Amino acid sequence: MAVESADELGIAFGTAILGSVLLGFYRTGLADTAPADLPGGVLEAAQETLAGALLYARELPGELGEALATADTDAFTSALSATGGIAALILLAVGIFAGIMLRGVSSQADLTETEDEPDHEPTTAP
């Protein structure tokens, strides 16, 4: 039970951190690429979620809406790519750490040695 809770906590913690990184990259990317002539408050609202940004883009007239939709999807794609790269680096680091920590540990040693059984029969003196 404790192991399952630890696994769930680790997954939730990793999701929260990577989700925050993703949102940070998305907000920055959208701020850099969004059209300059957006109505007041639209950029801030669009930076909250991709779905919300696309809804705003549908409501804006003509080219302004298309430009916002393009900026939204480009910012999200770039953010997802950067976050995936960070996650891959973390996974690589964990793999290297595990390899270093498990170096010299034999998986067969635990199967062949038991503490309950002696290696040889005890000898008695005559």
Side-chain angles (χ1 to χ4, degrees):
M1 183 79 161
V3 174
E4 290 175 9
S5 297
D7 287 344
E8 291 170 5
L9 180 63
I11 291 169
F13 185 68
T15 301
I17 289 178
L18 290 176
S20 297
V21 169
L22 175 69
L23 184 59
F25 281 134
Y26 171 69
R27 286 180 175 171
T28 302
L30 185 57
D32 292 343
T33 59
D37 53 345
L38 288 174
V42 171
L43 178 60
E44 291 79 17
Q47 287 177 319
E48 294 301 316
T49 64
L50 176 64
L54 292 174
L55 286 174
Y56 279 110
R58 286 178 52 188
E59 294 177 5
L60 291 172
E63 291 182 14
L64 186 59
E66 290 175 23
L68 179 60
T70 300
D72 292 337
T73 54
D74 288 349
F76 184 77
T77 303
S78 295
L80 193 59
S81 177
T83 305
I86 291 171
L89 289 175
I90 291 170
L91 187 60
L92 178 65
V94 168
I96 290 171
F97 177 75
I100 290 170
M101 295 304 292
L102 294 174
R103 185 178 31 199
V105 174
S106 172
S107 64
Q108 297 301 315
D110 292 338
L111 296 175
T112 58
E113 296 178 18
T114 60
E115 294 180 21
D116 296 337
E117 299 176 15
D119 289 340
H120 61 286
E121 293 293 320
T123 56
T124 56

